[in-house]
Amino acid sequence: MFGSLQARLLAGLLAVALGVGGVMTLLMLRSTEHELDELLDAHLTQAAALLVVQHSQRLPHDDEQVLDAPSLHRYAPRAVFQVFHEGQLALRSSEAPLEPLVEGMAGMAGMASGFHRVERGGTGWRVFVTRGASADVAVLVGERESARREILWAVLAPLLGGAAAAAALVALLGAAVLHWGLAPLRRLRMELAARQPAQLGPVELPDAPAEIAPLVASLNGLFTRIEALLEGERRLTADAAHELRTPIAAIRAQAQVALGAAEPDERRHALQALLAGCDRAARLIEQLLQLARLESATESAGLNQALNLAELAARALAEAAESAQHQGHVLSLELSPPGAQIRASGDPLLTQVLLRNLLDNALRYSPPGSAVTVTLAAGTPAWRLTVEDAGPGLDDQALARLGQRFQRGPDPAAPGSGLGWSIVQRIAALQGWQVAADRSPELGGLRVSVQGEAVG
């Protein structure tokens, strides 16, 4: 019924608040009504006592005679009255003093009608004074201020007690409602706590509220990415172990041949093969380290430095001309337009690694003495760098597999580990560049294109 966690909590808390508030309001109303009835009854009994006396006999003319009205209610001592006739006390309630409640009442001229606050014997009184039917009659009705405070506390005590009880009840029931409402979060916590490190399947949380469903979806997406990353690492480790086994076995075999060779030429040939195997293993290890560093790299401020692509490409060609793969290849750099200074944004060291891998692949799979051309074309808003060779190129099926680790070109005997393309694609992705490969229309081999946003 409630698909939202907020709706569930709100509905539960409203139900608790309305239920408890309604019950406590009824109880407080009954208590307040009772206390007010008691107070009004006390005044009614005082008036009744006065009427009884007045109707039993007229006010006495004897100055020595004072009539006392009986006390008919338990609250009667808290409210008193006095009746003065010709300045003399003629009638009073049983708890009223003989002296006037308000000083200055000995003579009728000193009488001031209205409300007075007086202090008698350390007790505060609230007194109302008025004249009677004739000018020589004065009526004083007083009430203890402490009685008013007692009545006020008598009214407030159940209210405060009810409020405290209501707060406690709301807290208890609210805790129960919250415990019920947050049950999906506890189930999610227990689900995650019970998982093993290798358990990366999706979290199953049926009937998840609307607020938790995106969290569960994000967790499942994270688990999926981690699982893919771990699977890639496991595959890389297995492939690397397999690839390293070949040059190490070749190194061992050539070392055994060199040890058993009787002729100097045979020994020299075995040692040369041994060095080639060591170079291949070293190259493979270097690429694995590069790829591991790139896999853990993220976009940062270091990847948006200003680059001079023409200068970097010229430096990469100079290094390629001195590499072991250079076998009389004709290396060239073409700028379009000629002399253009093409600038990009990225990391200079990573860009050098990208160019070195592209040229290394071109040299490895091109026949000796063939051409390898690097072309830089300026454009708006993007620049374009291409590396073309005269090798056998790749068919559509091989192009589809391009970039997969340890996938070599069409010649399995060619040196290399197949990691160069993975490194190129990772560097390009980190710097926001696009990489594509097809057949070179001029040289007939492979053409690799790298494209990025131009920087002014």
Side-chain angles (χ1 to χ4, degrees), residues 158-359:
L159 296 179
L160 296 177
L169 188 56
V170 167
L172 291 176
L173 295 181
V177 170
L178 289 176
H179 186 271
W180 166 73
L182 297 177
L185 285 177
R186 289 195 303 276
R187 291 201 303 270
L188 177 61
R189 177 183 60 82
M190 291 186 291
E191 168 74 16
L192 296 177
R195 288 193 161 220
Q196 299 298 322
Q199 187 179 355
L200 295 174
V203 176
E204 299 293 340
L205 197 66
D207 302 327
E211 289 83 359
I212 298 182
L215 174 61
V216 175
S218 299
L219 282 174
N220 289 336
L222 176 62
F223 289 153
T224 300
R225 294 192 296 272
I226 293 176
E227 186 175 20
L229 178 62
L230 292 178
E231 179 61 28
E233 295 297 331
R234 286 192 291 267
R235 187 168 59 251
L236 173 63
T237 302
D239 293 342
H242 175 74
E243 289 292 324
L244 284 171
R245 187 181 299 115
T246 300
I248 291 176
I251 291 172
R252 179 180 178 82
Q254 294 300 329
Q256 291 175 343
V257 170
L259 287 175
E263 299 294 331
D265 292 339
E266 182 181 3
R267 183 180 299 107
R268 184 181 301 106
H269 179 74
L271 291 176
Q272 289 176 347
L274 180 66
L275 289 176
C278 291
D279 292 340
R280 180 180 176 185
R283 172 64 175 168
L284 175 60
I285 293 173
E286 178 186 358
Q287 288 187 316
L288 286 173
L289 292 175
Q290 287 180 349
L291 190 59
R293 286 193 294 268
L294 291 173
E295 289 292 346
S296 61
T298 57
E299 295 185 6
S300 63
L303 300 180
N304 57 7
Q305 302 179 44
L307 304 177
N308 188 331
L309 290 180
E311 180 181 338
L312 292 176
R315 189 184 307 166
L317 283 171
E319 293 178 358
E322 299 177 358
S323 67
Q325 278 69 40
H326 185 266
Q327 300 176 3
H329 295 89
V330 180
L331 303 177
S332 62
L333 173 63
E334 299 178 1
L335 299 179
S336 178
Q341 295 294 321
I342 301 173
R343 300 192 178 278
S345 177
D347 182 270
L349 295 179
L350 292 181
T351 304
Q352 280 290 101
V353 173
L354 180 144
L355 292 172
R356 185 164 58 246
N357 277 277
L358 290 178
L359 290 172

Side-chain angles (χ1 to χ4, degrees), residues 7-223:
R8 295 173 67 184
L9 294 176
L10 182 60
L13 290 177
L14 283 178
V16 169
L18 290 177
V20 174
V23 172
M24 299 312 300
T25 299
L26 289 176
L27 294 176
M28 287 186 290
L29 285 176
R30 292 295 301 273
S31 176
T32 304
E33 182 181 13
H34 174 73
E35 293 298 329
L36 290 177
D37 286 342
E38 290 283 350
L39 178 61
L40 295 177
D41 288 344
H43 287 283
L44 289 176
T45 55
Q46 291 286 3
L50 180 59
L51 291 175
V52 168
V53 173
Q54 287 178 339
H55 283 77
S56 63
Q57 54 185 345
R58 297 180 61 83
L59 290 174
H61 296 280
D62 188 354
D63 294 341
E64 300 297 329
Q65 184 181 6
V66 179
L67 297 179
D68 291 340
S71 177
L72 303 178
H73 193 272
R74 67 185 181 92
Y75 278 179
R78 305 181 185 185
V80 298
F81 67 87
Q82 294 175 324
V83 178
F84 286 85
H85 180 223
E86 297 179 352
Q88 301 295 322
L89 182 62
L91 179 64
R92 65 166 188 163
S93 60
S94 59
E95 299 296 329
L98 297 176
E99 298 79 12
L101 289 172
V102 179
E103 296 181 0
M105 290 299 299
M108 296 302 297
M111 182 191 69
S113 299
F115 289 97
H116 300 264
R117 184 187 180 282
V118 298
E119 189 85 17
R120 296 187 60 87
T123 302
W125 291 83
R126 177 76 169 173
V127 182
F128 180 73
V129 180
T130 185
R131 295 181 181 275
S134 59
D136 59 352
V137 175
V139 178
L140 292 78
V141 180
E143 185 179 37
R144 295 177 185 268
E145 290 185 341
S146 60
R148 292 195 171 194
R149 289 192 295 269
E150 290 174 6
I151 294 173
L152 177 61
W153 281 111
V155 174
L156 290 180
L159 296 179
L160 296 177
L169 188 56
V170 167
L172 291 176
L173 295 181
V177 170
L178 289 176
H179 186 271
W180 166 73
L182 297 177
L185 285 177
R186 289 195 303 276
R187 291 201 303 270
L188 177 61
R189 177 183 60 82
M190 291 186 291
E191 168 74 16
L192 296 177
R195 288 193 161 220
Q196 299 298 322
Q199 187 179 355
L200 295 174
V203 176
E204 299 293 340
L205 197 66
D207 302 327
E211 289 83 359
I212 298 182
L215 174 61
V216 175
S218 299
L219 282 174
N220 289 336
L222 176 62
F223 289 153

